[in-house]
Structure formats: structure tokens, C-alpha cells
Amino acid sequence: MRNAARPGTHASPLNQVVADMAKIMSHRIAMDHPRFFGFIPSPVDENSFLGSILTTMYNVGAGSWYQSSGASTVEDSLIKWLAEQAGFPSSSGGIFVSGGSVANLTAIVTARDAKLQFEQRPKAVIYMSEQTHSSMAKGIVVAGFHRNQIRRVECDSNYRIKPSSLRQQIESDRKNGLIPFMIAATCGLTNTGGIDDLNGLADIAESENLWLHVDGAYGASILLSKTHRHCADGIGRADSLTWDAHKWLFQTYDCGLILVRDKRDLVESFATGASYIRDADEASSEKVNFWNRGIEMSRPARGMKLWFTLQRLGLDKVSDMIDHGVDLAEFAALVFRGFENWEILSPAQLGILNFRYVPPTSQLPGNGVDFDQFCDKVNAEISRLAVERDIAAPLTTRITKVLNLRMCTVSPHLSRNQLFEVIQSLDSVAKEVSASFVKKRILKI
Ligand SMILES: Cc1ncc(COP(=O)(O)O)c(C=O)c1O
């Protein structure tokens, strides 16, 4: 593969290069496979492929209205519509970016500039939890802060930020002369699918004059579910919202979105007004220049494939596709409860379930072996074998100190029956693994 990267001196035939491309791409994890449950899968709808190809063919430079008045107008209108779904006011606006990480970084920079004087930055603090996606901490560092300016607030038993602990932390930071400026809440925690108490955190943000960001990279799509949208109640009180269409809106990479309550805040942080763009830089409420709303100058019209998909599918279908993901995780929880020795570590939430196999005590290896460490090894091996045998890909994570299996069941192409078969197979693998671990005594703790 490494040799394949070197360009030849002379042209290669098209069919050979296409064949090489297919070979290279065959070495991958199929993130859109219905039985790939790891990370946040990428269950792309075929309309997004088409929308993506068409957008690439037109290759508009969607940095300014001058370059792409059609696409910019549609992207801007789509952003306004998505903002309405979230309950944001008419002052709101945003920009399609590469994904959740860049959306979160954009929010941090915007909040920093809106809430802090330049001189205050060294004393500023931001609040999040251990469960907050790592891109928030990364964004804080990229935005010029130090890691020790991050406060990890205590969570409740459902891994949600505890509002009472947040209040105490803010009070103690202020007493110590520090300057709280931002709360990072999450709608759709990557580990558990959980949602922070958005109204509780919005109350605190309002009374403490802090910027409330909601990372809905994964979970904000629930707003397009007719049945479950109430789960995100309070999201419209945020100052900014991250929402990735390449996660649960069935888009190809890349298609993320950052929304802010007042779009002028983005312009404050990101407009440059360089002389060589002056012919194109004249903006008005009708003529959006996206290069003034984000980090990029040249950018593709990422929102167009989402527009294409929503037009093709219609909202009823999109709502059903999202509901299906929620239903599958709940169904999986029900099935695991019916099998012996499986433990649910976090309930099914927004299409995510955490569970582990706990071997019967009769199978414990004895000789002082730590029970949780034994379970960790068993569950890691179940995941490894499930992938190796092409059963499914439930990958591992840790939400408490123990290791667990995790399923994100967002594929609209997986049926309940297929999921049931997967769980049956996992159960057989689990029995086999724990029995063989004991028998061979390969455990070296
Ligand atoms: C909650 C959350 N925020 C942010 C991100 C980062 O998004 P991206 O990978 O698109 O940069 C993820 C990725 O899974 C996520 O789950």
C-alpha cells in the first residue's frame, strides 16, 4: 500500500487506477454496515452519496455569496430551518463545517470572544464532565487555554452533569478570582447516549451569565424525530449547538454544523475583511458570506447533500429512520435481560446501549483473581471474536471503572430479527470465552 502512494512518471491507465483505488479502500472498517455498532457508525443514506457527488461535480467555492449565491442561499435557509427545529430565535445562524470537533472549536472561540476580555483569558474556566467528548478539551487547548482551565463537574448516576455540583464549582472558582465563561453540555453522550439536564444547565448559564454550548454532534438529530424530540427539551436555550449530519442524519463525511443564538457573534470572531476579497465581501442579511462565520475561507457547500437527502426522503421517513435506531437499542436491552449473565450498565438512550457479560461465579478462576479484571478480559475477548468472526462489531469502552461492550444501533437497515440473532451469537461467544479462559488459565493478572 505504501508503494502505491508514489506517483509514476507516466500516466497510468484509468481502469488500473480505479482497480487500485478499490483495493486500497477494501481495507477498512465498514462504518455503514448494519452490524457495525462501534464509535458513532456512519449509516449513510444512498441519497447522500448522490448529493455529495453532485456537489463535488459543481465544485462551488461556498465561502462567499459572490462565488456561490445559489448554494449559499440554500445552505443558509437550511441552517435557519434546522435552527428552528432546535427552537433557536430568528437572530440565530451558523455554518456547515467538517464535523463535531471543528464545530465545538468554533463554539469555544465564539464564546471566548463574546464573554471574555483579552486580558481575562488566563483566568477563564470552562465546565464540562468526564463524559464530555474529547474534542471539547482539545478545542479549549487549540483556542489558547491551558488544560487546567477545564473543570470536570461531578455527574449523577446517569452520567449527567449535576447542576448542584456545577453551581458549587462556579462559586468556588469565583471566590478564587477565576472567571467562569462557558458550560459545555451534551445532547447524546458518545459513551451512553445520555443527555445532560439542558434546562437545569441553562438556568445556571442564565443566572451566572455564562455561555451555554450544547454538543449535539450525535444526539441533536433527535430533534427530527416526531416521537422522541421531547428528549432534547431545553436545547433551544443554548447559545451554541453542534449538530453533525454525518452521524445520525445519514450523511457522508464530512457534514457538521455549528449553530449560534446570535449569528453576529460568529462574524465578530471570524470575519477578516482582507483586501483581496473585497469584491466578494459585501454581505447583507440576504447575501451570506460563510467565510465570515467560520475558520475556512475556501469551503465546499457541505449542506447541499443534506438538502438533497431531505428533499428526497421527506421528513416522515427521516423521523422513522431515527426512531428505528432508538427502538433497536431498547429492543437490545430487552433481549439481553432475557439472557442469563448479561448486565446492562447504562439503559438504552438515543440508540446507545452499554452492557457486559458477567460469567457465573462457578466459572471464576479463583486463586485471588480480581473479578472485575476477569470480566474485563472476557468482554474484550467477546468483542474481538465478534469482529473476527464477522458476527458484529460491538466495541468496548469504560463508563465506570469496568470495561463494557457498547452498541450504537443507528442503522436503518438492521431489523429487530437480525439484532436478535446478533445477540444470540454474542451469548454463545461469551459462554465459549469465559469457559476457555478458566480452562486454559490464560489469565495472567
Ligand atoms: C458528542 C460528540 N461530539 C463531538 C464529536 C466529534 O465529531 P467529529 O468526529 O465529527 O469531529 C463526536 C464524535 O463521535 C461526538 O460523539
Side-chain angles (χ1 to χ4, degrees):
M1 290 297 146
R2 290 205 185 281
N3 291 340
R6 290 176 184 273
T9 316
H10 304 293
S12 302
L14 178 62
N15 54 4
Q16 185 201 313
V17 183
V18 170
D20 285 351
M21 179 76 129
K23 193 170 157 202
I24 293 163
M25 291 303 191
S26 71
H27 295 272
R28 73 182 195 282
I29 288 279
M31 301 265 299
D32 57 345
H33 193 285
R35 284 179 278 121
F36 181 79
F37 301 120
F39 316 128
I40 305 293
S42 168
V44 176
D45 183 80
E46 59 195 13
N47 288 294
S48 181
F49 286 120
L50 196 48
S52 174
I53 291 166
L54 288 171
T55 309
T56 304
M57 279 171 58
Y58 285 104
N59 194 35
V60 288
S64 70
W65 190 89
Y66 182 84
Q67 294 162 289
S68 68
S69 47
S72 290
T73 303
V74 170
E75 280 198 288
D76 197 35
S77 306
L78 182 56
I79 290 167
K80 280 189 186 132
W81 180 81
L82 290 163
E84 274 168 29
Q85 306 313 302
F88 273 41
S90 58
S91 57
S92 61
I95 177 171
F96 283 101
V97 294
S98 61
S101 305
V102 170
N104 285 340
L105 172 63
T106 307
I108 291 165
V109 170
T110 311
R112 180 197 68 190
D113 297 349
K115 290 291 182 195
L116 299 169
Q117 305 290 328
F118 185 76
E119 305 68 44
Q120 292 179 316
R121 290 186 191 179
K123 290 195 163 177
V125 273
I126 174 172
Y127 301 88
M128 56 182 84
S129 81
E130 283 300 341
Q131 294 297 326
T132 307
H133 191 266
S134 57
S135 59
M136 279 308 293
K138 193 190 269 190
I140 278 293
V141 174
V142 176
F145 296 102
H146 192 279
R147 278 184 197 283
N148 67 17
Q149 292 174 268
I150 299 171
R151 294 285 174 278
R152 302 283 181 177
V153 183
E154 191 192 352
C155 288
D156 62 20
S157 56
N158 207 12
Y159 312 102
R160 305 175 342 148
I161 293 175
K162 250 185 175 169
S164 56
S165 303
L166 175 61
R167 273 195 196 281
Q168 277 166 16
Q169 184 70 58
I170 293 170
E171 199 182 310
S172 126
D173 285 332
R174 286 206 202 279
K175 268 192 196 136
N176 289 325
L178 298 172
I179 307 172
F181 82 105
M182 183 174 191
I183 302 168
T186 306
C187 173
L189 291 162
T190 317
N191 259 341
T192 62
I195 302 177
D196 279 322
D197 173 0
L198 301 179
N199 276 313
L201 300 186
D203 288 345
I204 298 177
E206 268 165 35
S207 65
E208 297 284 343
N209 189 24
L210 307 184
W211 182 283
L212 176 65
H213 174 65
V214 176
D215 179 357
Y218 171 61
S221 295
I222 203 67
L223 290 165
L224 300 194
S225 153
K226 292 187 186 133
T227 328
H228 299 291
R229 55 170 302 136
H230 64 274
C231 297
D233 275 357
I235 205 167
R237 296 175 65 189
D239 294 293
S240 54
L241 171 66
T242 288
W243 184 349
D244 277 355
H246 66 209
K247 292 192 166 64
W248 209 2
L249 282 185
F250 316 106
Q251 297 304 295
T252 61
Y253 299 119
D254 52 18
C255 197
L257 173 66
I258 177 70
L259 288 172
V260 298
R261 192 165 200 79
D262 186 342
K263 56 181 176 287
R264 289 173 303 182
D265 286 327
L266 288 176
V267 177
E268 276 297 313
S269 288
F270 295 104
T272 61
S275 59
Y276 35 80
I277 57 167
R278 57 180 299 283
D279 295 325
D281 206 30
E282 189 200 323
S284 68
S285 58
E286 293 303 309
K287 297 180 179 179
V288 57
N289 284 335
F290 282 116
W291 61 33
N292 288 336
R293 288 194 190 174
I295 296 162
E296 299 164 304
M297 177 165 272
S298 301
R299 58 178 291 278
R302 295 186 179 91
M304 291 309 294
K305 58 190 173 190
L306 178 60
W307 167 83
F308 190 92
T309 309
L310 295 176
Q311 295 293 320
R312 288 280 298 121
L313 294 179
L315 291 177
D316 285 353
K317 172 85 177 166
V318 173
S319 173
D320 288 348
M321 287 161 77
I322 294 169
D323 287 351
H324 184 67
V326 175
D327 174 71
L328 284 182
E330 286 169 2
F331 174 72
L334 211 70
V335 176
F336 276 118
R337 283 203 188 94
F339 280 85
E340 275 181 4
N341 303 117
W342 289 93
E343 180 185 17
I344 305 290
L345 291 166
S346 165
Q349 295 174 94
L350 295 190
I352 296 182
L353 181 70
N354 290 271
F355 53 98
R356 69 172 183 162
Y357 185 74
V358 184
T361 29
S362 59
Q363 287 191 359
L364 267 180
N367 58 25
V369 167
D370 181 277
F371 181 65
D372 279 335
Q373 284 186 31
F374 177 65
C375 288
D376 284 3
K377 294 216 169 209
V378 167
N379 283 279
E381 185 63 4
I382 295 170
S383 168
R384 197 189 68 75
L385 282 180
V387 174
E388 190 179 278
R389 295 180 187 175
D390 231 355
I391 296 169
L395 300 187
T396 60
T397 186
R398 282 181 202 275
I399 46 172
T400 59
K401 77 179 180 37
V402 301
L403 185 130
N404 61 273
L405 300 167
R406 173 182 166 283
M407 272 185 176
C408 180
T409 56
V410 285
S411 174
H413 301 297
L414 186 74
S415 67
R416 274 182 168 210
N417 281 348
Q418 288 165 326
L419 183 55
F420 184 78
E421 282 166 18
V422 166
I423 296 171
Q424 266 182 327
S425 303
L426 289 179
D427 188 55
S428 307
V429 172
K431 289 194 174 96
E432 176 192 326
V433 168
S434 64
S436 82
F437 267 33
V438 173
K439 200 164 148 208
K440 294 179 194 159
R441 292 187 179 271
I442 58 169
L443 199 70
K444 295 184 189 107
I445 297 170

